[in-house]
Amino acid sequence: MKALMSSVIIPWQPPPQKPRIPVVCCSTINGSSSSSSEVNLQSSQPQECKSSNDEEPKQSEIWRLFREAQKNILHLNQHRLKALEDLNKINIEKQLLVDRIEQLELEKQTAVAKPHDRLSMFWELLLRIDSMVLMGMITTGEASNLRRLVMDHKVSVAEVFNDTLQKSDAEILAELRHFSERNQRNGFHIVHVCTEMAPLVSVGSLASYVTGLSCALQRKGHLVEVILPKYSNLDLNEVQGLQEIEAECYSYFNGQLHGNRIWTGVVYGIGVTLIQPLYYSSFFNRERVYGYPDDFERFTYFSRASLDYIVKSGKQPDVIHIHNWETAIIGPLFWDIIVKQGLEGTRVLLTCHDLNSQCLEHPEKLALCGLDPARLHRPDRLQDTTKAHLVNVLKGGVVYSNKVVIMSSIRSKGRVIHSLSYGLDHTLNIHKNKVVIAPCGFDNSTWDPSTDKFLPQQYGVKHMKGKAVCKAALQQHLGFSEHASTILVGCIFSEVSDVDLENLRAVFRKARRIDVQFIIKGIRKISSVNKLGLLHEPLKDKNVRFIDGHDEKQSHLIFAGSDIILCQSFHDPVLQVPLKALKYGAAPIAVNSNDDGFRNFVEHDYETTNFSRFISSTFGNMSITQALDEIRNNPSKWKRKIMDAMEMDFSWDAECCDIHASAYTAVKNL
């Protein structure tokens, strides 16, 4: 408004006229100038000289022009005022539109976050029940009943207890006791006791497995929680509602009871409990997770503390799910010591991710956690098959678990037991009826081309145009010539062996005869790939690019833009390259394959996974040369094969989750 007021034109008023000064004229007489005495001062006469007569028309013209300019300025000012009003109106409309967009975006975020927030609240309530038990407010029996009550009424509980964090334990307990109606429970209660969980702590494949499987199981109606050591280097950014329970939880170790701090929180909708030793505080206050001389003591302490916490908190899970040798000691601990402390209905399931890591120790060390060495140092229990003077911790987990799941995406049960068990073949063969094979999965909420936020254009089986856009974008990004007919081959590795290097050289030599572009990417975030540097000099070419380092957006674009993805193995639980390649419409080809294909890729007379059978019938026996030939010579067949692969579901929610759910059902029926 100040700008508008300052621009208003005030009508012009002429200044007051000054008194006219008499004009002195010099008259001439007879053609000559008169003398000074003859100068005639004509002050009272109306006569003026000629110059005075010319001045009035000029002044009139000036006034006319001035008045005309004044009218023009007034006219322009009116237009300016109108333009400012229009601009102000546009700005108001723009702000209203921006406010509406922000409102819609907020509603969208709220809609997306609502299920997650509900699940987080649900877990906050369950963890508060744990706190009530440790504080002595309720008995373990009542705690078990309250947990069942909450589990049976997830939806209605979310509405009634929507402000859990703002209420005291006493207030929540009073409301829970009034929340009486129950429905029949359908899902299982599973407690993972493990040493890794993404994104809190990730070393190998265990971290993504625990998180991926837990989320998938909860989506199917099961209740899943995780118990971890409280490492000093945990990434706690994704933990919601992290809090310390105001009561110490004691556990047995080395002949004494030792106090532990208990922390609880929620990660991706999964309830998480962190155990922090007090006396043995150095156990998990280290730079690395594994690789210390006292690893047996560290993880045996954690395993016993986890079981003691489960008992004291009144939990009665259907299944305690343990992982690798680090928590395999829970098998004998549970059945020899813990089961009679109110867990008669609980069963134990062991998952093995690496049969080569077994942990051999002297038998007397078993006494640290309360076990009887003489009772367990026997051939049918923990005694190692090869080194009979030692106990084998992983073997003990196999013997004492009700079910054993071995993670292998492509190997059959028979192949694993007889050829890939690293000395455990005798034990696994005795217990083969409780052994099952399960494939790894991947996170299809992050890795899905139809929803991928990193891609220049999303795509799916029914609308593949976006893949061509991604291919062109990848070629442009890497400085390749942009030709749709050029075959783009991506290679993503974590570790590179000498065999891999030689196979890569052979692949490049064969492909140079065809119009092929190669992208070789090393993931330093996971493992050093310095050996890839050995390929730089011999493979310098306009159609080869080397990329090193972790770049999430770039990784997504490589999968989306590539026609073929070279992988080290079809069993890739860490990078999950084959699974992601299939989802993004790129053919996974093993770099260590040859023109003769895989021999006995699948033993058809033994148990195998759906993933193994699918890969065997499509890309498992295919070399890079055969793949390039089929793309060139039979494009329609190739396209059909790619689209069939994209329609398959190999995420955590699919076969991996189903096999574990079946295993839980089997052990509960024992």
Side-chain angles (χ1 to χ4, degrees):
M1 281 305 293
K2 289 182 179 179
L4 293 177
M5 293 174 66
S6 63
S7 63
V8 174
I9 301 300
I10 300 174
W12 180 83
Q13 296 291 337
Q17 293 186 351
K18 296 181 180 180
R20 180 172 295 184
I21 300 173
V23 180
V24 178
C25 296
C26 299
S27 60
T28 58
I29 302 174
N30 298 325
S32 62
S33 298
S34 63
S35 65
S36 59
S37 60
E38 293 179 326
V39 173
N40 183 18
L41 297 178
Q42 301 179 21
S43 58
S44 60
Q45 301 299 323
Q47 299 177 3
E48 295 182 354
C49 62
K50 186 176 180 180
S51 60
S52 176
N53 293 333
D54 292 339
E55 192 172 325
E56 282 191 2
K58 289 181 181 180
Q59 288 182 348
S60 298
E61 181 64 17
I62 289 172
W63 287 117
R64 186 187 67 78
L65 292 173
F66 186 83
R67 285 191 294 271
E68 187 174 333
Q70 183 183 25
K71 290 179 182 178
N72 290 337
I73 291 172
L74 287 170
H75 182 69
L76 289 173
N77 189 58
Q78 290 173 354
H79 279 283
R80 181 169 175 268
L81 289 172
K82 182 67 167 59
L84 286 171
E85 290 176 2
D86 293 341
L87 180 61
N88 190 39
K89 188 182 296 184
I90 291 171
N91 285 334
I92 293 172
E93 292 175 353
K94 177 185 174 183
Q95 188 59 47
L96 290 173
L97 183 60
V98 169
D99 292 343
R100 179 58 178 160
I101 291 172
E102 290 178 352
Q103 181 183 354
L104 291 172
E105 187 66 27
L106 183 62
E107 291 175 359
K108 179 182 177 182
Q109 291 175 359
T110 303
V112 171
K114 193 172 183 180
H116 181 72
D117 292 342
R118 180 181 294 167
L119 195 55
S120 298
M121 184 282 309
F122 167 73
W123 262 110
E124 287 167 5
L125 187 58
L126 288 176
L127 294 172
R128 291 289 286 273
I129 294 174
D130 294 354
S131 176
M132 295 174 198
V133 178
L134 297 178
M135 295 294 290
M137 295 177 63
I138 55 176
T139 65
T140 56
E142 184 177 6
S144 179
N145 291 334
L146 291 176
R147 289 191 191 96
R148 296 295 184 194
L149 180 68
V150 173
M151 290 166 58
D152 294 346
H153 298 81
K154 287 184 181 179
V155 176
S156 51
V157 161
E159 297 172 354
V160 175
F161 299 91
N162 56 8
D163 54 351
T164 307
L165 291 176
Q166 282 71 42
K167 295 181 180 178
S168 66
D169 286 349
E171 290 173 320
I172 294 173
L173 180 59
E175 292 183 11
L176 281 170
R177 284 172 171 166
H178 286 89
F179 194 79
S180 58
E181 282 193 22
R182 298 189 57 177
N183 295 320
Q184 186 176 358
R185 183 171 63 93
N186 297 318
F188 293 115
H189 180 193
I190 301 112
V191 176
H192 288 275
V193 182
C194 52
T195 55
E196 297 178 43
M197 179 189 185
L200 275 68
V201 53
S202 300
V203 178
S205 60
L206 175 61
S208 59
Y209 162 84
V210 169
T211 305
L213 178 63
S214 298
C215 291
L217 287 166
Q218 285 212 154
R219 283 191 287 268
K220 296 191 176 184
H222 305 286
L223 174 66
V224 188
E225 57 183 305
V226 176
I227 302 177
L228 286 166
K230 192 176 187 301
Y231 301 104
S232 59
N233 56 354
L234 284 176
D235 182 357
L236 301 176
N237 291 330
E238 295 294 336
V239 182
Q240 292 182 309
L242 180 65
Q243 60 180 334
E244 180 184 356
I245 294 179
E246 297 295 331
E248 288 185 1
C249 180
Y250 290 88
S251 61
Y252 178 88
F253 192 76
N254 197 18
Q256 297 181 22
L257 291 176
H258 298 281
N260 303 284
R261 286 197 179 98
I262 305 297
W263 300 75
T264 60
V266 181
V267 179
Y268 298 157
I270 306 296
V272 176
T273 300
L274 306 175
I275 296 180
Q276 181 181 13
L278 296 178
Y279 183 77
Y280 290 97
S281 58
S282 65
F283 274 177
F284 304 110
N285 189 21
R286 302 183 185 182
E287 183 180 353
R288 303 189 309 273
V289 174
Y290 311 118
Y292 296 98
D294 61 346
D295 275 357
F296 174 81
E297 289 84 351
R298 296 170 65 223
F299 295 114
T300 298
Y301 180 97
F302 166 67
S303 296
R304 178 63 193 258
S306 298
L307 289 175
D308 289 337
Y309 167 74
I310 289 172
V311 170
K312 186 170 183 180
S313 62
K315 297 179 188 291
Q316 292 180 326
D318 295 300
V319 179
I320 296 177
H321 193 151
I322 59 181
H323 305 268
N324 298 332
W325 79 258
E326 285 83 5
T327 53
I329 199 70
I330 285 178
L333 270 173
F334 179 82
W335 291 111
D336 282 8
I337 298 174
I338 303 297
V339 66
K340 294 180 181 179
Q341 300 182 38
L343 295 175
E344 290 81 2
T346 300
R347 298 293 179 264
V348 179
L349 184 145
L350 167 69
T351 293
C352 297
H353 296 262
D354 182 8
L355 290 171
N356 192 29
S357 182
Q358 300 174 11
C359 187
L360 304 184
E361 275 294 349
H362 294 285
E364 57 269 20
K365 282 194 174 183
L366 295 174
L368 289 171
C369 59
L371 291 172
D372 182 357
R375 172 180 165 79
L376 297 175
H377 191 215
R378 292 168 38 177
D380 61 336
R381 297 186 182 175
L382 270 70
Q383 186 178 32
D384 187 63
T385 305
T386 305
K387 300 178 180 180
H389 65 291
L390 301 176
V391 291
N392 186 316
V393 179
L394 185 61
K395 176 184 175 180
V398 172
V399 172
Y400 277 85
S401 295
N402 300 104
K403 207 76 173 174
V404 178
V405 177
I406 298 176
M407 300 304 295
S408 177
S409 295
I410 60 172
R411 304 302 178 191
S412 68
K413 178 177 173 178
R415 178 76 182 278
V416 170
I417 290 176
H418 296 295
S419 305
L420 301 170
S421 53
Y422 302 96
L424 286 177
D425 50 316
H426 178 70
T427 302
L428 290 172
N429 199 47
I430 291 174
H431 297 275
K432 64 182 179 182
N433 289 335
K434 65 181 183 183
V435 175
V436 295
I437 302 294
C440 297
F442 75 103
D443 182 8
N444 62 352
S445 66
T446 302
W447 292 92
D448 185 345
S450 65
T451 58
D452 195 327
K453 62 182 180 181
F454 292 115
L455 302 184
Q457 184 171 325
Q458 297 166 348
Y459 63 94
V461 176
K462 296 181 179 179
H463 44 95
M464 290 290 286
K465 183 180 178 182
K467 184 165 179 66
V469 173
C470 293
K471 182 175 181 177
L474 181 59
Q475 289 174 321
Q476 183 180 24
H477 174 68
L478 297 174
F480 282 136
S481 59
E482 297 178 39
H483 298 295
S485 60
T486 301
I487 300 172
L488 201 55
V489 179
C491 317
I492 300 179
F493 295 132
S494 59
E495 295 179 347
V496 180
S497 67
D498 293 334
V499 175
D500 292 330
L501 284 174
E502 192 54 42
N503 287 329
L504 281 171
R505 290 191 186 102
V507 165
F508 295 145
R509 283 195 297 268
K510 293 175 183 177
R512 276 180 171 175
R513 294 169 289 182
I514 311 173
D515 188 13
V516 180
Q517 295 169 341
F518 283 95
I519 307 160
I520 305 169
K521 181 175 176 62
I523 309 294
R524 285 192 182 277
K525 184 178 180 182
I526 297 175
S527 178
S528 175
V529 289
N530 290 331
K531 283 189 175 182
L532 281 178
L534 299 175
L535 291 172
H536 279 241
E537 286 302 318
L539 295 177
K540 274 189 175 179
D541 189 276
K542 66 177 182 179
N543 286 331
V544 179
R545 297 288 186 275
F546 290 88
I547 306 170
D548 202 3
H550 181 73
D551 185 326
E552 190 75 8
K553 181 177 181 180
Q554 190 179 70
S555 296
H556 283 247
L557 189 58
I558 290 174
F559 279 105
S562 297
D563 299 296
I564 295 172
I565 295 286
L566 292 181
C567 49
Q568 291 163 293
S569 169
F570 289 111
H571 177 64
D572 183 7
V574 178
L575 295 181
Q576 303 159 342
V577 170
L579 302 178
K580 295 171 184 175
L582 292 172
K583 188 67 178 178
Y584 279 71
I589 302 295
V591 72
N592 58 357
S593 66
N594 52 53
D595 289 339
D596 296 326
F598 287 114
R599 272 185 250 184
N600 300 319
F601 180 79
V602 177
E603 298 85 354
H604 293 284
D605 53 335
Y606 287 97
E607 295 178 36
T608 58
T609 64
N610 293 336
F611 173 77
S612 179
R613 287 189 287 271
F614 176 80
I615 284 293
S616 177
S617 65
T618 52
F619 306 109
N621 294 295
M622 184 176 285
S623 69
I624 183 67
T625 305
Q626 291 170 324
L628 294 173
D629 288 343
E630 187 167 313
I631 292 175
R632 292 294 188 194
N633 302 324
N634 200 341
S636 59
K637 179 182 177 182
W638 180 265
K639 182 179 179 182
R640 183 70 262 164
K641 194 180 291 186
I642 290 295
M643 294 178 73
D644 288 344
M646 290 179 69
E647 289 184 317
M648 300 294 291
D649 184 4
F650 295 119
S651 67
W652 293 115
D653 296 78
E655 185 179 13
C656 180
C657 182
D658 293 342
I659 289 175
H660 282 82
S662 297
Y664 297 145
T665 302
V667 298
K668 281 300 292 179
N669 291 333
L670 294 177

